[in-house]
Amino acid sequence: MAAGPERDAEVDETKSAIDASTTASAGTTSRRRLLSATAVGSVTALAGCAELLGSEDPLRVSIWSGNYADRFEDGVVERYEADHDTEIEIHRGWDEILADIQSAPEDNPPFDVTVAEGNFYYYGRQQDLFEPIREENIPNTDGIIDFYSEMRDTEYGLPVDGAPCTIIHREDADVDPEQWGDLSSSAVADSTGIGVDTGFWWYPLYAAAIGMDEENGAGEMHDEAYHDDVLDQVEEWNVQSWASSGEDIWRAFENGVIDVAQWYYDQTAYDIDDYDGLTHTMPEETTGWLNNWCVVRGTDKRDEAEEFINFLLDADVQSEWSEHAPMVFSNEDIEYAEGLEDDLPTTTEEAQDIAFPDWEYLASHDDHLSDEFSTIQQQS
C-alpha cells in the first residue's frame, strides 16, 4: 500500500473512490474511450497480423504508485516475464483503483489483477469488483502463514505482502521512542513535533490504541466505547506534520518541523540511510497494512491472473522480492533479505504482534472516525 517518498496524495476516505470517480479518473476514462474509438480500425487491421505472429495481450496488473511500483517491477515483473514468457503491463494507481474498476464495463475491466490493502479489499468486495479465487489453481495457498489467511475472508483475494508501521526519530533529539505509548511521553510532547499519516487515518489511530494499552493489541479500535478515547489520544499528540506521502515526512524532518514520525517500514528500512541524523524503531507491538491480491471482475484472463497470484505467493519469489522491498511477506518459508529477518514475522505467533485494521468492524464506524480525525487535523 504505502508507496514511498513519491507516494500520491490519498483521499481521507477511501470508500469515496468507490462511490464516484474523481475528475482525473473521469478524464482518463474519456480519453481512453476516445482513443479506443479512433484506433478501432487500426486494431482490426492488425488483428490478423498479431495472430500470425503469435502475440498475446499482456496481463494487466494494478499496483500502488511510487517506490512500491519501482520495487515491484525490479523484484517481481522481470522474473515473472522471464519465467513465463508473458508480458506484464503495470498500472500505477492509488485512490482511483476501485473507482476505475467500478466505472468500467463489467466485461471489460481496466486491468486483470489488482492489489488491495484491507480498506480497498473490504469495499471492493461490497461492490462485487473481484472474481472469487479458485484455490485449486493456486497451490501456493498452502504456504500462507495461518494468521494471514485467517484474519480476513480470502474468498476474493489472497494475502501476499504488506508492512508494519515504524517510528522514525531524530538521533540527536532528546527523544528515544520504542513503543507507540512513547508518542504520549513528555519528551515527545516537548520535542519539535510529530508527523503522522493523514491519508490512511486508521494507522495513526491504531498506533494510538496500541499505546493506550487498555485492551490487548489495538482492541480499543474494535470497541466503540473506546473510540473517543483513542481520538483524544491522537489530539493530545504534538502533531506538527499531517503527511499525505513519504516525501512529506522526509521534508518535515529536513525542515526541522518534527523530531518523530509514525510511518511505514517499507518506506523506511531501505531509505533512511539517505537522510542524515535519522533512525527508526519498530515497536514490538505495532499496526500495519497487508495486501490481498484479487482477480478483477470480468477479466478474460482469469486463469492467467490466478497463475500470477500463485507466483506472488511462492517462497522463492517473496525471498527475492524482499531484496528489493523491505516488506512483510506471507509465505511461511520465506528467507528475508539480510537485515529484515529480526523485524519481520515468519510465524503466526510473530504475525499476531501486528494489529492489522479490521474493516469488517471498522466499516460501520468509518464515517465517524474519519470525520473526527479530520476535525483534529483542521484544529491543530
Side-chain angles (χ1 to χ4, degrees):
M1 171 218 62
E6 311 88 348
R7 193 178 90 186
D8 298 339
E10 307 91 0
V11 292
D12 287 339
E13 294 182 58
T14 306
K15 66 174 184 176
S16 66
I18 303 171
D19 297 332
S21 299
T22 61
T23 301
S25 297
T28 302
T29 302
S30 297
R31 287 192 297 273
R32 182 167 61 243
R33 287 173 178 165
L34 177 60
L35 289 171
S36 296
T38 304
V40 66
S42 298
V43 170
T44 302
L46 292 172
C49 296
E51 290 180 7
L52 290 174
L53 293 172
S55 65
E56 296 181 357
D57 293 335
L59 183 70
R60 301 164 301 166
V61 179
S62 173
I63 59 176
W64 307 122
S65 296
N67 69 6
Y68 181 98
D70 296 337
R71 290 166 172 168
F72 187 85
E73 293 198 38
D74 292 339
V76 175
V77 173
E78 290 182 5
R79 177 169 175 171
Y80 188 83
E81 290 182 332
D83 289 354
H84 292 78
D85 194 26
T86 298
E87 181 185 354
I88 298 296
E89 180 180 292
I90 292 298
H91 292 247
R92 297 181 179 221
W94 205 248
D95 58 275
E96 75 280 2
I97 289 175
L98 296 182
D100 283 353
I101 300 172
Q102 189 183 48
S103 63
E106 291 191 13
D107 60 351
N108 187 23
F111 22 81
D112 307 299
V113 187
T114 189
V115 69
E117 172 270 346
N119 175 284
F120 282 59
Y121 184 53
Y122 175 81
Y123 285 111
R125 284 181 289 143
Q126 306 315 301
Q127 296 292 326
D128 296 324
L129 302 185
F130 312 132
E131 297 283 359
I133 292 290
R134 299 173 298 184
E135 291 193 10
E136 64 272 17
N137 293 339
I138 307 180
N140 285 327
T141 299
D142 293 341
I144 297 174
I145 293 172
D146 289 343
F147 177 75
Y148 299 135
S149 60
E150 294 170 358
M151 76 177 200
R152 293 179 192 145
D153 181 352
T154 57
E155 182 179 358
Y156 292 91
L158 294 173
V160 174
D161 61 309
C165 286
T166 189
I167 304 175
I168 306 174
H169 50 102
R170 201 182 298 278
E171 291 180 301
D172 61 359
D174 190 23
V175 296
D176 189 19
E178 296 182 352
Q179 307 297 332
W180 290 113
D182 293 338
L183 268 62
S184 301
S185 68
S186 58
V188 174
D190 294 337
S191 72
T192 302
I194 301 171
V196 302
D197 190 358
T198 183
F200 289 93
W201 51 263
W202 42 98
Y203 296 112
L205 290 186
Y206 267 70
I210 293 169
M212 289 170 59
D213 205 24
E214 297 289 339
E215 298 284 325
N216 290 332
E220 294 86 350
M221 287 298 296
H222 306 148
D223 184 342
E224 185 178 5
Y226 285 102
H227 285 179
D228 287 342
D229 293 336
V230 175
L231 290 161
D232 288 344
Q233 189 71 71
V234 174
E235 188 170 19
E236 291 172 7
W237 284 351
N238 180 20
V239 178
Q240 297 297 320
S241 175
W242 300 90
S244 62
S245 69
E247 184 178 18
D248 291 343
I249 288 293
W250 302 123
R251 186 186 300 114
F253 275 113
E254 290 180 328
N255 292 340
V257 175
I258 59 175
D259 288 332
V260 183
Q262 164 267 323
W263 208 243
Y264 305 95
Y265 189 91
D266 63 304
Q267 294 187 43
T268 303
Y270 285 177
D271 299 330
I272 199 162
D273 289 343
D274 296 336
Y275 302 90
D276 292 337
L278 297 182
T279 187
H280 76 105
T281 302
M282 194 177 77
E284 290 184 8
E285 283 191 283
T286 189
T287 184
W289 57 276
L290 190 73
N291 290 324
N292 281 52
W293 282 77
C294 308
V295 179
V296 179
R297 73 173 183 194
T299 176
D300 60 358
K301 292 184 175 293
R302 190 175 180 186
D303 290 342
E304 295 92 331
E306 290 174 336
E307 181 179 48
F308 184 75
I309 294 173
N310 188 61
F311 174 84
L312 296 181
L313 287 169
D314 182 85
D316 289 340
V317 170
Q318 293 188 0
S319 298
E320 181 180 338
W321 193 353
S322 77
E323 299 279 352
H324 300 268
M327 296 191 298
V328 163
F329 291 101
S330 62
N331 193 298
E332 60 188 355
D333 294 323
I334 185 175
E335 295 183 9
Y336 279 108
E338 184 178 357
L340 304 182
E341 62 276 2
D342 291 338
D343 288 339
L344 304 179
T346 58
T347 67
T348 283
E349 290 71 28
E350 293 171 349
Q352 287 172 336
D353 289 334
I354 304 177
F356 295 99
D358 177 5
W359 279 97
E360 299 293 335
Y361 173 84
L362 283 183
S364 59
H365 304 279
D366 190 351
D367 289 340
H368 171 70
L369 292 170
S370 176
D371 289 346
E372 291 300 313
F373 188 86
S374 296
T375 297
I376 294 170
Q377 178 182 350
Q378 292 162 6
Q379 294 179 349
S380 66

